[in-house]
Amino acid sequence: MNCQFLTARRIWVGVVWVTCSVWAQAQTIVMSSTTSTEQSGLFAHLLPAFKKASGLDVKVVALGTGQALDMARRGDADVVFVHDQAAEEKFVTDGFGLQRQSVMYNDFVMIGPKADPAAVKGKDIVSALAKVSASNAAFVSRGDKSGTHAAELRFWKMAKLSDQKGSGYKECGCGMGPALNIAASSGAYVMADRATWLNFKNRADLTILVEGDQRLFNQYGVMVVNPARHPHVKRLDAQKFVDWITSAAGQGVIARYKIGGEQLFFPNAGQ
């Protein structure tokens, strides 16, 4: 057989393989996001609809919000979808992200044993934490710089108990699901986002004890990582995700995600 033909064929096949590899790589974006969006089941519902609309795959790395933002600061993500608005705005102000846009909201709740040994049941989250502290009740904090942890710390500060959380207070340095598992196995109180709680299966004797306080409002935002900081960021594809999730189509998909007939997230892009 002609050696020149074989060489030419190998070169052609190599070019096609490289071209296809580059194309396939370009079809995937990396999103750093929170454990709540992942463990609530939202992404399993949301991302297939985005792929159908755009042809793009999204690789999600689910972390606490602080870690998700750190990942994006290092240039290891193309888009960030988290829930700590003050931290998100600083991320943009510091030049790591492009425009922050609101996407959806839900709320935080305090979970605890049905017997409620610290008598926290009610609407006031600050009063509930004061009772946990005074009774030295078991309390599991995520302690991971997540959006949920940041909110919890704000509430301890409002209660003027930042350094007096009681002898039952423990930090797990873990995600929302593991924190709920620890609380379930130890009969402890824990603060959670409602969506993860609704999708949580290992509830044991736990129930929602504190809800309805307007301070428990939980807003989510999305940002494209700034390519001026990290030129390899897939800005155009990341922007397609932002545009879609804040569009009527994406917002509708979010609104339709329910567990047991209960809506987990409420879209509010542009508000």
Side-chain angles (χ1 to χ4, degrees):
M1 187 177 289
N2 190 300
C3 291
Q4 288 183 331
F5 170 78
L6 284 173
T7 301
R9 187 180 178 197
R10 288 192 190 102
I11 291 171
W12 181 81
V13 170
V15 169
V16 171
W17 183 84
V18 170
T19 302
C20 289
S21 296
V22 170
W23 180 83
Q25 185 180 25
Q27 294 301 107
T28 302
I29 58 172
V30 176
M31 175 163 61
S32 59
S33 190
T34 72
T35 58
S36 59
T37 45
E38 176 74 10
Q39 293 171 0
S40 66
L42 176 67
F43 284 147
H45 168 79
L46 186 76
L47 296 182
F50 172 64
K51 182 174 182 178
K52 184 177 180 180
S54 67
L56 293 168
D57 283 310
V58 180
K59 178 183 177 183
V60 177
V61 181
L63 304 161
T65 286
Q67 293 172 303
L69 289 170
D70 285 343
M71 177 179 169
R73 286 188 186 94
R74 295 191 301 269
D76 294 332
D78 302 300
V79 64
V80 193
F81 188 6
V82 288
H83 65 139
D84 184 349
Q85 188 163 344
E88 294 161 35
E89 290 172 349
K90 187 176 188 305
F91 180 80
V92 172
T93 300
D94 290 346
F96 291 102
L98 302 182
Q99 180 186 9
R100 177 200 173 275
Q101 292 181 246
S102 293
V103 177
M104 62 190 188
Y105 69 91
N106 63 2
D107 62 339
F108 294 112
V109 291
M110 184 185 280
I111 310 295
K114 291 176 183 176
D116 190 15
V120 305
K121 187 173 178 61
K123 186 177 178 179
D124 190 327
I125 184 63
V126 173
S127 173
L129 289 177
K131 291 175 181 177
V132 167
S133 172
S135 63
N136 291 313
F139 185 96
V140 178
S141 172
R142 285 181 58 174
D144 64 348
K145 298 183 180 179
S146 62
T148 303
H149 182 222
E152 179 208 314
L153 292 178
R154 288 196 299 271
F155 301 143
W156 283 114
K157 187 174 182 180
M158 289 177 190
K160 300 180 180 178
L161 293 167
S162 294
D163 300 317
Q164 303 172 48
K165 301 181 181 75
S167 60
Y169 176 89
K170 298 290 185 294
E171 292 186 351
C172 69
C174 61
M176 195 68 260
L180 284 166
N181 277 322
I182 293 170
S185 65
S186 61
Y189 293 93
V190 61
M191 202 176 87
D193 66 284
R194 188 185 294 270
T196 303
W197 167 251
L198 288 173
N199 200 39
F200 183 63
K201 303 299 189 293
N202 182 34
R203 296 186 178 186
D205 191 43
L206 298 183
T207 189
I208 293 177
L209 293 172
V210 181
E211 61 183 328
D213 190 326
Q214 64 180 3
R215 293 171 291 193
L216 292 170
F217 180 80
N218 181 28
Q219 177 70 53
Y220 289 78
V222 66
M223 300 159 289
V224 174
V225 177
N226 190 351
R229 289 272 186 166
H230 302 289
H232 62 274
V233 165
K234 299 173 185 173
R235 176 181 178 174
L236 296 179
D237 287 342
Q239 190 63 52
K240 287 178 184 177
F241 176 78
V242 171
D243 292 344
W244 180 82
I245 202 171
T246 57
S247 71
Q251 296 276 282
V253 175
I254 292 170
R256 289 192 292 274
Y257 182 51
K258 298 179 181 181
I259 292 180
E262 186 167 351
Q263 186 171 335
L264 274 70
F265 298 95
F266 298 85
N268 67 342
Q271 297 179 24

